[in-house]
Amino acid sequence: MTELAVTYRGTVYPWHCDHMGHMNVMWYVGKFDEATWQLMASVGLTPDYLRSEGRGTAAVDQRISYRRELHAGDTVVIRSAFLEAKSKVVRFCHRMEHAVTGEICAVTVLTGVHMDTVARKAVPMPDALLEAARKAVVDLDPWE
């Protein structure tokens, strides 16, 4: 993979905005979460897999840089990529862009853990999923 994949397209609605008139931080996180499900599914970490195998994923670290305010009516695109894939852990990023101007509005980098949902502990991903995630890793500085 040489570029970030589109994992979300959406709109900022008035109810996403706070009393200062821009999208509240909770909605940035929510849109990034939707993008995460698309990114994970792209390598086989689908809801069906997670349910049938008693597995889950958990974010253990998330860092966000807010770069440009978004307002009601703005349309956004999120582009995502894996930065690292290990047996039990993946690190990935999302870049939220203003769909019209292309400006980067926010960037987040997350670390997620593959878990056994019964034992509530980290477990290795199946080889096929780990290999798919490793093939999807990009070499980039997400903060640029």
Side-chain angles (χ1 to χ4, degrees):
M1 181 179 221
T2 58
E3 59 185 51
L4 283 74
V6 172
T7 52
Y8 177 88
R9 291 183 185 276
T11 304
V12 178
Y13 289 98
W15 57 87
H16 294 156
C17 298
D18 59 23
H19 64 283
M20 293 181 288
H22 59 260
M23 189 165 75
N24 186 272
V25 296
M26 70 182 277
W27 296 102
Y28 285 86
V29 173
K31 290 174 186 299
F32 284 142
D33 182 64
E34 290 188 52
T36 295
W37 285 105
Q38 296 297 319
L39 182 64
M40 294 301 164
S42 75
V43 297
L45 288 164
T46 64
D48 285 343
Y49 160 76
L50 297 172
R51 283 190 291 267
S52 68
E53 300 300 316
R55 298 295 183 247
T57 58
V60 296
D61 187 65
Q62 180 171 11
R63 295 162 197 243
I64 303 174
S65 172
Y66 300 99
R67 303 206 177 154
R68 178 194 186 282
E69 290 182 346
L70 289 165
H71 301 93
D74 287 342
T75 53
V76 298
V77 174
I78 297 177
R79 298 177 196 280
S80 309
F82 287 97
L83 301 172
E84 184 176 20
K86 296 180 180 178
S87 175
K88 300 176 187 178
V89 177
V90 291
R91 196 167 58 89
F92 55 97
C93 69
H94 300 299
R95 287 184 177 164
M96 183 181 294
E97 302 171 4
H98 189 282
V100 175
T101 68
E103 291 176 89
I104 295 176
C105 304
V107 176
T108 188
V109 174
L110 296 102
T111 301
V113 176
H114 182 259
M115 298 179 52
D116 178 313
T117 57
V118 175
R120 306 301 290 174
K121 67 176 194 170
V123 295
M125 283 183 270
D127 291 341
L129 299 183
L130 179 58
E131 183 61 26
R134 285 183 172 155
K135 285 182 180 175
V137 168
V138 300
D139 182 21
L140 65 84
D141 179 349
W143 306 111
E144 288 185 348

